[in-house]
Amino acid sequence: MAIADRYDAFLVDFDGVVWRGREPVPGAPEALSEMLAAGKRLAFVTNNPGRLPEDYARRLAALGVEVAPARVVTAGAAAARLAARAADGGGAFVVGAPALKELVARAGAPVLEGEAGREAAVVVVSAHAGFDYAELRTAKLALDGGAAFIATSRDPTMPMPGGDWPGTGAVLAAVETAAGRRAEIAGKPERHLFEAALEAIGAAPAEGGEEPPRVAMVGDRLTSDVAGGRAAGLDTVLVLTGATGREAAAAADPRPDHVVADLPALLA
């Protein structure tokens, strides 16, 4: 029996699973389309907040994978919800890409720019290409003043075709070191992202004794995808097209429920 036939739904990571940088992983779009055609419910979960959910949905559509934006749950969206609650009407200083700032503003926390960020009620951190000392200083001063502290993930790197790039964990380490504080994590492996994704596919915990759908988390990273999926009570599938090699997968404790070469292997 193919692994895909054992489950009703899948939560699927993007980076290192569906694509690496701008290039799709060979066979991944076709495998996802086949799963959708077979009636599998898919939600996409990513710790990369560099795009809006609707942008990710358009990118998938360009690869022939049609899903609604509501089926794309990003750590940016999860962080934005946490930030709006923590700010409680105050402003947010966002270390991150324009998409993350837009999500925070949509959630109801006005985004403060530049020196005004020192007065923020919440600081939100994610990796972005423009990270600099001025942002680090402003974030530290806001945190020294009592701002809440949220980050999208602790992923140290993100897989790219020419070699891994620094991820949010690298930027977050600088802010945490400067402020002497630890951030609350919105993305994987924490529960917030998984709860939102299960809700998006109608797979939240069943009530009234109904049989819950069989859901598996599919990702390429042991510390976020596999650890988070297991903590959420899901079976886990590790693909070897991203951050984790076969040796590391074999040495993992606990091991993923399934280790496969790539997404098409789910259907074999």
Side-chain angles (χ1 to χ4, degrees):
M1 175 187 292
I3 293 172
D5 293 333
R6 304 179 190 182
Y7 301 98
D8 305 303
F10 294 89
L11 309 185
V12 183
D13 183 35
F14 279 139
D15 295 306
V17 178
V18 181
W19 49 61
R20 291 180 63 92
R22 297 181 180 275
E23 297 300 319
V25 173
E30 294 80 5
L32 292 169
S33 295
E34 187 173 339
M35 291 163 71
L36 286 169
K40 306 298 181 184
R41 285 179 272 175
L42 301 182
F44 294 88
V45 291
T46 178
N47 275 354
N48 187 342
R51 294 172 181 252
L52 299 171
E54 53 264 39
D55 293 331
Y56 279 117
R58 281 193 287 269
R59 185 174 179 186
L60 285 169
L63 297 176
V65 182
E66 299 286 345
V67 296
R71 293 286 183 94
V72 179
V73 182
T74 73
R81 289 192 292 270
L82 291 176
R85 289 200 293 267
D88 193 23
F93 181 67
V94 180
V95 177
L100 179 58
K101 294 181 179 183
E102 182 172 340
L103 287 169
V104 171
R106 283 185 191 179
V111 174
L112 304 178
E113 299 286 357
E115 294 296 309
R118 298 184 182 193
E119 306 302 320
V122 60
V123 171
V124 183
V125 174
S126 183
H128 74 116
F131 178 62
D132 60 16
Y133 187 83
E135 282 189 315
L136 176 60
R137 181 181 62 228
T138 300
K140 180 207 177 337
L141 292 172
L143 291 166
D144 287 350
F149 191 9
I150 294 164
T152 54
S153 78
R154 292 191 185 280
D155 291 348
T157 59
M158 52 185 175
M160 299 295 284
D164 291 351
W165 288 10
T168 289
V171 173
L172 180 60
V175 181
E176 288 184 330
T177 299
R181 291 178 54 186
R182 294 270 289 178
E184 179 179 8
I185 302 301
K188 298 172 290 183
E190 303 303 325
R191 71 183 192 281
H192 309 290
L193 200 65
F194 291 94
E195 290 173 352
L198 290 170
E199 182 179 343
I201 58 173
E207 298 179 0
E210 294 182 16
E211 186 70 22
R214 301 164 299 170
V215 185
M217 172 66 210
V218 183
D220 69 311
R221 195 180 289 272
L222 291 166
T223 54
S224 55
D225 299 315
V226 173
R230 184 174 293 273
L234 308 177
D235 280 6
T236 57
V237 180
L238 182 77
V239 298
L240 301 177
T241 50
T244 306
R246 193 172 296 278
E247 282 190 20
D253 184 20
R255 282 177 54 81
D257 295 285
H258 310 281
V259 177
V260 297
D262 50 22
L263 279 180
L266 291 175
L267 302 164

